[in-house]
Amino acid sequence: MPIFGGYAGGIEETTIVDVASSINSMVMSSASWHLDGPVHIRWGSTNTRETLQIAGWACATISEFTDLMTGNQYYPCAGPCTEMCLLEAAAQSVTDTASGREILSGVAAAKGVITDKTTGMEARMMGEVARATAGMDIDSVNAVINNIVSSYEGNYANAPEGKRFQDCYDVATVTPTDEYVKVYEGARRKLEDFGLTF
């Protein structure tokens, strides 16, 4: 998982490192697939404009020129039961699907570092968005990604913490609360406004 803004440098350089690390994982480890996920050095997220560019370019390159399989990890800044978290997951799912990624692995909300801050609703968004993206032309995809990222990128420093799993799910039935269902439906409507058709 290369770090954008670290030793690798900017978008283009980090993309080269990303492709190289994917190939290296196959050669050095005899891996059957590589789990990727460029991370922004400042925000600790895979869902920034820069990291989405890197992930998309790297995956498209690997898909075009090799038979290697890649996956991508999802680290939204925001926590569960927030619109921002679902939109961050959606942006990455659009990117991954359109660039040919075979495995979508996520979603680890709240940057994947806080206990009890991951639920199935984020993964549901990832999956539904992937299905909605499949078959879209690249110009439409780019417009959708721009719309989604523009809606949340000003909030990285103050991303909503969201709720713990046990506060936005019924733990006995493992189902989301009515509140989270409403948040999810609101995010989905926003994505439709941004150009996705579910």
Side-chain angles (χ1 to χ4, degrees):
M1 296 175 72
I3 299 175
F4 165 73
Y7 291 121
I11 293 170
E12 293 84 357
E13 298 88 353
T14 307
T15 303
I16 292 168
V17 170
D18 196 343
V19 171
S21 66
S22 297
I23 294 169
N24 184 55
S25 71
M26 305 298 177
V27 174
M28 298 298 291
S29 305
S30 299
S32 56
W33 65 282
H34 175 71
L35 181 60
D36 194 18
V39 177
H40 195 287
I41 194 167
R42 180 170 184 193
W43 304 118
S45 172
T46 57
N47 312 114
T48 68
R49 189 174 297 274
E50 298 86 359
T51 55
L52 292 172
Q53 260 185 293
I54 294 162
W57 287 354
C59 181
T61 301
I62 292 165
S63 295
E64 178 71 20
F65 297 105
T66 77
D67 292 327
L68 304 177
M69 288 178 47
T70 62
N72 202 359
Q73 188 59 269
Y74 289 55
Y75 294 128
C77 288
C81 202
T82 67
E83 183 178 85
M84 181 175 168
C85 178
L86 295 171
L87 293 176
E88 287 179 276
Q92 191 165 341
S93 183
V94 171
T95 302
D96 285 344
T97 303
S99 60
R101 199 167 302 275
E102 293 84 7
I103 301 165
L104 309 185
S105 174
V107 173
K111 303 179 192 177
V113 297
I114 301 176
T115 303
D116 296 331
K117 288 286 181 125
T118 297
T119 83
M121 289 293 270
E122 298 91 68
R124 177 181 172 186
M125 179 61 77
M126 178 185 71
E128 288 193 2
V129 168
R131 289 183 64 139
T133 303
M136 288 178 67
D137 66 83
I138 199 66
D139 289 334
S140 299
V141 165
N142 286 334
V144 167
I145 292 170
N146 186 56
N147 288 335
I148 299 171
V149 175
S150 294
S151 75
Y152 66 72
E153 67 185 339
N155 299 317
Y156 296 136
N158 301 304
E161 293 181 13
K163 297 189 172 194
R164 299 177 309 154
F165 174 83
Q166 55 269 41
D167 297 326
C168 60
Y169 259 67
D170 180 324
V171 295
T173 61
V174 194
T175 55
T177 61
D178 290 343
E179 176 189 15
Y180 202 174
V181 170
K182 287 177 184 172
V183 170
Y184 186 94
E185 290 170 349
R188 192 173 148 144
R189 282 192 299 273
K190 188 169 273 191
L191 290 168
E192 288 173 339
D193 292 341
F194 292 158
L196 285 180
T197 302
F198 290 95

